[in-house]
Amino acid sequence: MRPKVLVTGGTGYIGSHTILDLLENGCDAVCIDSCINSDTSCLKAIKELTGTEIPFYKADLCDLKATEQVFRDHPDIAGIIHFAALKAVGESVEKPLLYFRNNLESLINILDLSLRYGVKAFIFSSSCTVYGDVTHSPVDENTPWQEAASPYGRTKQIGEQIITDTLRHTDMKSILLRYFNPAGAHPSGKMGESPINPPQNLVPVITETAIGKRKSMTVFGTDYPTRDGSCIRDYIHVCDLAHAHTLALKYIFEGRQDEQTGIFNLGIGNGLTVLEIIEAFQRVTGVSLSYILGDRRPGDVMAIYSDHTKAGRLLGWEPKMTIDDIVSTAWTWEKNRSAAGKS
Ligand code: NAD
Ligand code: WQD
């Protein structure tokens, strides 16, 4: 029997790719999203790619009653993947209460309902941001946390603690997945990042600049003590990331997880500089990018990349996509979006 998985934030960037991966790997999916940072166009793409129309609820997880309706309609939900959250670091500094309320109240509500309705597996979207300003990479799951650099980062640290404390004396198991820098789009060109708020992350900024939505872009800092002076990050293709969620659920469903709460880093395990990403984009697409070398962005960590050995060993997860795959799929998606008249 195909286990039924409730995906919160499922019309968002990583959630939509994960729904596709679940459907392709023997699970059924139900989606809930308030569409505060997405629209429902991915549901059409999912139907085109899989032939499946999944049940969708447009609701805010902070609304307990509306969220409970999903559980009433689907009492057979076996697992939850909880993506729903606001994620703009800068906005979280300006509006911390918006982030604490949205990201934590929604988490508390979905945990409460999961326990009341007997769900057995809970996967949480965490982030490498929990590690803060690290001094050494690669970081593994035991690397101690530093002070969170933003209220957004704090919601991930607190979120992890809420889950760990809540599940301690229950029979629900959870996995906290700490993503590094998700990027790229589905190779079909039908699905990718389609946010309502203007993206701030490097790869969409590059593609938006290349297509002409932005006149130019800035490399934030070229005086770091790295091989070319720009920051180092661990870029992971969104499809590889999505597949890790399916594997994490199966790890719990198949009774292979001993710990109440497991923690896994998800990155490629290799650091690339901002200038190397720009070089890869220009080389792979043949498009020349307008960019300037600018000042450091406040709050940026000089270098961070993952040790994902644990996910390989226990989940059997191995990222397959390269940086060339990331920039080429992101570029195809940007061109398709623009051709469809999307901003
Ligand atoms: P996204 O904004 O594309 O998706 C999040 C979705 O959640 C959106 O569709 C939004 O409308 C929805 N949402 C937000 N608050 C909600 C609420 N209260 N009720 C219902 N729906 C709500 O972002 P994403 O990049 O897909 O990120 C998914 C998760 O992964 C988030 O928790 C994010 O913090 C985490 N994460 C993202 C990154 C990244 O760089 N993209 C890195 C690490 C962790
Ligand atoms: C990557 C590199 C920038 C834009 C953020 C969150 C983190 C996690 C992932 C959610 C940095 C440089 C960027 C630009 C640039 N998200 N850059 N010009 O900051 O590593 O991580 O997303 O959990 O919490 O903080 O990602 O894509 O913003 O930046 O030079 O216009 O690209 O300085 O070195 P970051 P990013």
Side-chain angles (χ1 to χ4, degrees), residues 9 11-14 33-38 59-62 83-85 87 102 106 125-127 152 156 179-180 182:
T11 56
Y13 174 43
I14 308 169
D33 200 303
S34 64
C35 295
I36 191 173
N37 194 36
S38 57
D60 186 334
L61 286 153
C62 296
F83 291 103
K87 63 163 182 178
N102 188 71
S106 56
S125 291
S126 190
S127 168
Y152 165 75
K156 292 300 175 191
Y179 318 150
F180 281 65

Side-chain angles (χ1 to χ4, degrees), residues 200-217:
Q200 311 291 333
N201 292 120
L202 179 63
V203 173
V205 167
I206 289 176
T207 58
E208 288 198 357
T209 308
I211 205 100
K213 287 180 189 164
R214 300 172 191 236
K215 277 205 182 84
S216 177
M217 63 165 288

Side-chain angles (χ1 to χ4, degrees), residues 75-305:
D76 51 344
I77 289 169
I80 310 269
I81 308 181
H82 180 51
F83 291 103
L86 292 170
K87 63 163 182 178
V89 173
E91 184 184 53
S92 80
V93 175
E94 285 161 28
K95 300 174 185 168
L97 287 182
L98 172 69
Y99 274 66
F100 289 129
R101 183 172 290 130
N102 188 71
N103 292 2
L104 299 179
E105 200 174 327
S106 56
L107 171 64
I108 290 166
N109 283 349
I110 195 75
L111 271 177
D112 178 8
L113 290 166
S114 302
L115 288 169
R116 281 202 269 137
Y117 283 81
V119 174
K120 292 288 175 280
F122 191 91
I123 312 294
F124 178 63
S125 291
S126 190
S127 168
C128 65
T129 195
V130 299
Y131 295 115
D133 192 358
V134 294
T135 46
H136 293 291
S137 279
V139 295
D140 69 19
E141 292 82 357
N142 296 317
T143 302
W145 290 355
Q146 309 294 325
E147 187 70 16
S150 69
Y152 165 75
R154 184 90 66 199
T155 67
K156 292 300 175 191
Q157 291 183 336
I158 298 172
E160 286 201 6
Q161 289 165 332
I162 288 175
I163 295 167
T164 308
D165 285 350
T166 304
L167 267 53
R168 195 160 281 131
H169 302 296
T170 72
D171 63 356
M172 182 160 79
K173 294 208 166 174
S174 72
I175 288 184
L176 316 175
L177 296 176
R178 294 178 180 160
Y179 318 150
F180 281 65
N181 288 61
H186 193 264
S188 65
K190 291 179 191 290
M191 228 165 65
E193 190 162 12
S194 206
I196 305 290
N197 300 321
Q200 311 291 333
N201 292 120
L202 179 63
V203 173
V205 167
I206 289 176
T207 58
E208 288 198 357
T209 308
I211 205 100
K213 287 180 189 164
R214 300 172 191 236
K215 277 205 182 84
S216 177
M217 63 165 288
T218 304
V219 175
F220 296 138
T222 49
D223 60 348
Y224 288 98
T226 59
R227 49 188 176 265
D228 61 21
S230 62
C231 290
I232 291 177
R233 296 286 183 278
D234 183 338
Y235 298 89
I236 169 82
H237 194 283
V238 66
C239 292
D240 279 331
L241 191 61
H243 189 53
H245 294 76
T246 308
L247 294 176
L249 272 177
K250 290 190 172 175
Y251 186 61
I252 297 181
F253 287 158
E254 290 163 12
R256 286 184 284 132
Q257 174 163 292
D258 295 329
E259 303 167 284
Q260 193 77 40
T261 297
I263 303 176
F264 295 91
N265 280 344
L266 297 176
I268 210 158
N270 235 330
L272 289 171
T273 70
V274 176
L275 291 169
E276 285 165 350
I277 301 296
I278 291 176
E279 183 280 323
F281 177 80
Q282 298 190 125
R283 175 174 47 74
V284 169
T285 64
V287 177
S288 121
L289 194 69
S290 168
Y291 65 93
I292 56 168
L293 306 179
D295 292 339
R296 294 181 178 195
R297 182 173 69 175
D300 265 343
V301 178
M302 174 189 67
I304 179 165
Y305 55 93

